[in-house]
Amino acid sequence: QVQLVESGGGLVQPGGSLRLSCSASGFAFTNYAMTWVRQAPGKGLDWVSTIDNVGRNTTYADSVKGRFSISRDNAKNTLYLQMNSLTPEDTAVYLCTKMTSSTISILPPAAREYSNWGQGTQVTVSS
């Protein structure tokens, strides 16, 4: 079955960087777009970034644009999120998600476009 396992979270100081990874299995990774979402304490899910199946096209939430970078290695079935210039507002559980299609649009994905979710990795930005 589909498995998505995130790693790379932790405690980092403001202004620091982290690189999250999501190891995927149980499906043809190269056929699907992938997305990172996050959930801050006591809040709902926020879309962060999406990448198409071949890694050619990406989209970002305004809150992370210019600081975060999404990428993928289809040979390793792995999705990444490079996070720079972190602020306390970035504190959240970060989850990777498999989408229902290979392509992406300029708009944030609709709820129906998500098909599978990982368990998440905690990112805490604090001094």
Side-chain angles (χ1 to χ4, degrees):
Q1 73 270 22
V2 173
Q3 285 197 322
L4 300 169
V5 180
E6 301 91 339
S7 62
L11 174 63
V12 63
Q13 292 187 340
S17 298
L18 279 175
R19 188 194 196 200
L20 306 184
S21 299
C22 173
S23 179
S25 61
F27 67 102
F29 183 70
T30 193
N31 288 352
Y32 295 93
M34 299 290 292
T35 290
W36 286 100
V37 299
R38 66 186 181 184
Q39 186 167 27
K43 297 188 177 181
L45 288 168
D46 280 337
W47 169 71
V48 175
S49 181
T50 300
I51 188 168
D52 69 6
N53 65 314
V54 294
R56 184 175 298 126
N57 297 300
T58 59
T59 52
Y60 297 91
D62 287 344
S63 59
V64 306
K65 201 172 294 183
R67 300 188 299 122
F68 290 12
S69 178
I70 190 172
S71 62
R72 64 192 295 161
D73 185 337
N74 284 350
K76 296 182 178 179
N77 286 359
T78 303
L79 175 72
Y80 302 101
L81 185 67
Q82 177 67 44
M83 306 186 297
N84 300 326
S85 302
L86 286 161
T87 73
E89 289 68 37
D90 296 315
T91 294
V93 175
Y94 284 72
L95 305 95
C96 73
T97 66
K98 171 185 172 290
M99 311 305 285
T100 58
S101 69
S102 61
T103 58
I104 66 175
S105 76
I106 61 173
L107 298 174
R112 65 180 181 276
E113 297 180 69
Y114 296 92
S115 66
N116 299 84
W117 304 72
Q119 293 297 309
T121 185
Q122 176 70 48
V123 172
T124 302
V125 185
S126 175
S127 55

